[in-house]
Amino acid sequence: MNQTPDSQTADLFIIGGGINGCGIARDAAGRGLSVVLAEMNDLASATSSASTKMFHGGLRYLEYFEFRLVREALIEREVLLRAMPHISWPMRFVLPYHKDMRFEAETPTSKLLSFVMPWMKGRRPAWLIRLGLFMYDNLGGRKILPGTTTLSLNGTREGAPLNPKFLKAYEYSDCWVEDSRLVVLNARDAAARGARIMTRTEVIAAEREGDLWRIETRRHGSGETQIHRARMLINAGGPWVGEIIRNTVRINSPEGVRLVRGSHIVTRRLYDHDKCYFFQGTDGRIIFAIPYEGDFTLIGTTDAEHGDPDTRPVCTPEERRYLIDFANQYFARSITDADIVWTYSGVRPLYDDGASSATAATRDYTLKVNAEGGAPVLNVFGGKITTYRRLAESALEKVAAHLGPHGQPWTAGVPLPGGDFPVDGVADLVAGLKARFGFLDDVHARRLVRAYGTEAALVLGDAATAADLGQDFGASLTEAEVIWLMDSEFARTAEDVVWRRSKLGLRLTPAQVETLDEWMAARCRSASTAAE
């Protein structure tokens, strides 16, 4: 066992390498706090890589009167766009309208309208949707994104894929984000500012020793255990936040977490334009259909209760059927199981506010500090990708109340690694990369820029030909890129690379993925031997 000397006591020890944990680590390290973060698996290996890949205000949350959450998220959209224009970009969303659209029955708006206008019988009138979109356009002080317009679906490219009964739509703006890459870039920036990021490292015990926390960790693979000490503990365990409270930190807390599973299906490309669809169901729920990785369409999400965080979430046959049937209410050509190429599912760890349904449970974040009996612990409940940076700032306010002030908020306006270029600068970066590396085609160059931004040239190094990039694993993934991902982005297995650092798993065969996994394992063994 290696024991960390007391002289290396950290200010913060963070449990969890999802977006909340890595966002807090980055903010704290940038303020001069000493930070250690432990993630039991790969970064973004749970909820933070299983989102609908959007950062948005949450249009439907207006029906729950969550105006503060929506306003904060809308403001953050443009802050984040400027900070990471390589892994995020604006998108236009088409919301087809039909007079039979309905509210989810338990929303405050539905209850209010049922009381004031009982003849509506739960329907969403056009004027109410337009009012909501007006608020959505103006709550957050929008500057970059275009506002809402009304759109005819008759004879237009937006209407072509849809059932002809839909004649009108509203078109508004939201944004795409590469969710798991966002987590990795926050972790990288935290490490560059002095944080220690430990992946595949499980916290097996944490106890108070007076005004410090004593934390024991165990490395996966080697089984090596280590003792750490910290002035404050942050529980950003996502779906495991409740288990950490009960079984690891072992404190009494009245707060609880509600686990809600969201599942998605990915189909072959369903239409030939780059806009998204916002579909409203007869049950009051909504789903999105979004262009995905060039050749595919992403459809989701569901809201289902999930009992145990240790039970791996999967898209159940019932959820798969639900999404197919929901989308088929809108698309002119029916989707079948044969169109589906992949499914994925994640668990949202929502704060348990006692809502009657998973759909109604708040998506806002809740931060609770327990300092009874010694050193403080901050438990993080809920949160959205869109508001992760503001959540981190709020967490640092809680930290300052116990450890004293350290620096000022700084992350707004500071780009993430590779994001130091204009929001509209992707085409110029692609052209520059192709000019420098003449062997790249358009698809390869664009993929690299969308992943690494201004760092794409660093990934390629001094390669003069495609052969200089080393082994080709397929789908434009080369040895040079994998080495970058292992050395700079904490990747250790093929799954890390093809499903989290990228989505090349949609294009690689099982045999190619196995070859990649074997190559990475051999490189890890070689590095381990060299270190001994």
Side-chain angles (χ1 to χ4, degrees):
M1 175 185 293
N2 296 328
Q3 183 162 329
T4 304
D6 288 348
S7 62
Q8 294 184 20
T9 295
D11 293 315
L12 301 179
F13 190 103
I14 301 171
I15 304 175
I19 190 55
N20 290 340
C22 291
I24 293 170
R26 179 194 184 220
D27 194 333
R31 299 188 196 211
L33 290 157
S34 55
V35 178
V36 178
L37 180 147
E39 161 57 46
M40 64 180 175
N41 297 306
D42 181 30
L43 297 172
S45 56
T47 306
S48 295
S49 59
S51 76
T52 313
K53 322 301 179 192
M54 293 166 52
F55 66 96
H56 60 122
L59 180 60
R60 75 177 185 85
Y61 306 148
L62 291 174
E63 293 183 0
Y64 293 90
F65 299 162
E66 296 218 40
F67 300 117
R68 188 211 64 79
L69 171 63
V70 175
R71 182 175 185 275
E72 182 174 275
L74 288 171
I75 292 170
E76 280 298 290
R77 283 188 317 185
E78 300 203 1
V79 173
L80 296 181
L81 267 178
R82 290 186 175 97
M84 51 185 192
H86 48 329
I87 62 165
S88 66
W89 51 90
M91 299 187 85
R92 294 291 279 173
F93 286 74
V94 177
L95 192 165
Y97 177 74
H98 192 272
K99 61 183 178 63
D100 292 332
M101 290 172 173
R102 296 184 176 275
F103 289 99
E104 200 275 321
E106 296 303 312
T107 70
T109 301
S110 178
K111 292 177 180 178
L112 179 62
L113 250 69
S114 294
F115 177 75
V116 176
M117 304 170 69
W119 60 89
M120 294 300 298
K121 297 181 179 179
R123 289 195 297 271
R124 281 186 178 104
W127 65 263
L128 188 68
I129 293 175
R130 193 63 187 88
L131 175 62
L133 288 166
F134 175 81
M135 295 175 65
Y136 203 67
D137 280 345
N138 293 284
L139 269 176
R142 175 179 49 84
K143 295 178 181 177
I144 298 175
L145 301 173
T148 299
T149 59
T150 302
L151 191 67
S152 171
L153 296 176
N154 186 22
T156 62
R157 62 174 186 162
E158 293 87 356
L162 301 179
N163 186 310
K165 78 173 184 179
F166 296 103
L167 301 176
K168 179 174 89 168
Y170 301 106
E171 183 179 298
Y172 70 96
S173 293
D174 259 324
C175 301
W176 174 268
V177 63
E178 300 286 358
D179 51 7
S180 48
R181 288 209 56 74
L182 175 62
V183 177
V184 170
L185 294 183
N186 271 270
R188 278 192 57 208
D189 203 42
R193 297 174 190 275
R196 183 183 178 194
I197 307 295
M198 304 185 299
T199 62
R200 293 175 166 81
T201 301
E202 185 175 1
V203 174
I204 55 178
E207 60 185 7
R208 287 178 167 118
E209 289 184 342
D211 59 355
L212 295 178
W213 281 97
R214 178 186 184 276
I215 305 109
E216 184 176 1
T217 61
R218 180 170 57 225
R219 285 278 298 169
H220 291 186
S222 69
E224 174 192 3
T225 60
Q226 192 170 37
I227 301 298
H228 313 261
R229 285 182 171 81
R231 298 170 63 202
M232 188 168 183
L233 187 67
I234 296 183
N235 172 14
W240 292 271
V241 63
E243 282 197 355
I244 291 168
I245 290 171
R246 292 187 301 272
N247 302 328
T248 305
V249 181
R250 295 190 296 277
I251 60 173
N252 292 320
S253 172
E255 279 77 36
V257 64
R258 184 172 192 165
L259 302 180
V260 176
R261 186 176 64 254
S263 294
H264 303 76
I265 59 176
V266 176
T267 70
R268 297 180 181 89
R269 185 168 179 164
L270 299 177
Y271 51 89
D272 294 327
H273 60 78
D274 60 359
K275 295 181 182 180
C276 313
Y277 289 103
F278 178 116
F279 294 153
Q280 303 176 86
T282 55
D283 60 355
R285 289 207 68 255
I286 64 100
I287 65 169
F288 297 98
I290 306 174
Y292 190 58
E293 295 294 316
D295 299 319
F296 308 97
T297 300
L298 170 64
I299 298 173
T301 179
T302 60
D303 276 321
E305 303 287 354
H306 192 82
D308 182 357
D310 292 319
T311 299
R312 182 174 176 269
V314 296
C315 181
T316 65
E318 293 77 16
E319 288 174 305
R320 185 180 175 119
R321 187 75 256 157
Y322 174 83
L323 292 172
I324 289 174
D325 290 345
F326 199 141
N328 284 343
Q329 295 174 44
Y330 282 84
F331 285 121
R333 183 185 73 78
S334 292
I335 304 167
T336 69
D337 281 310
D339 291 305
I340 297 174
V341 298
W342 183 47
T343 68
Y344 69 91
S345 187
V347 176
R348 309 180 193 98
L350 306 180
Y351 182 68
D352 191 353
D353 60 354
S356 59
S357 70
T359 301
T362 182
R363 267 53 176 175
D364 209 347
Y365 56 82
T366 300
L367 308 177
K368 296 290 184 177
V369 176
N370 180 301
E372 298 172 8
V377 54
L378 170 63
N379 296 307
V380 179
F381 300 91
K384 291 158 40 70
I385 281 180
T386 316
T387 53
Y388 88 89
R389 194 195 62 80
R390 287 289 295 118
L391 181 152
E393 288 184 338
S394 298
L396 267 294
E397 291 174 7
K398 302 281 189 184
V399 170
H402 292 272
L403 303 189
H406 285 76
Q408 297 296 317
W410 63 274
T411 54
V414 177
L416 288 161
D420 50 336
F421 66 97
V423 171
D424 59 356
V426 168
D428 288 343
L429 271 186
V430 172
L433 197 67
K434 287 182 64 183
R436 181 171 172 183
F437 300 93
F439 54 86
L440 294 177
D441 61 26
D442 285 336
V443 173
H444 193 180
R446 186 172 181 82
R447 183 182 71 77
L448 291 174
V449 167
R450 276 304 187 193
Y452 308 108
T454 56
E455 294 186 325
L458 299 179
V459 175
L460 300 176
D462 57 2
T465 67
D468 293 336
L469 298 177
Q471 184 169 343
D472 184 348
F473 295 104
S476 79
L477 180 67
T478 64
E479 184 177 324
E481 185 175 357
V482 176
I483 289 172
W484 169 272
L485 293 172
M486 295 182 75
D487 292 351
S488 301
E489 296 198 0
F490 309 97
R492 290 294 174 269
T493 69
E495 183 179 353
D496 300 348
V497 170
V498 305
W499 291 118
R500 285 184 285 277
R501 306 307 184 278
S502 73
K503 291 296 180 288
L504 292 175
L506 289 166
R507 305 183 186 280
L508 293 169
T509 67
Q512 288 173 317
V513 174
E514 184 178 357
T515 297
L516 172 63
D517 210 32
E518 291 171 352
W519 187 93
M520 293 177 70
R523 189 169 187 269
C524 286
R525 287 193 299 271
S526 177
S528 178
T529 301
E532 291 176 357

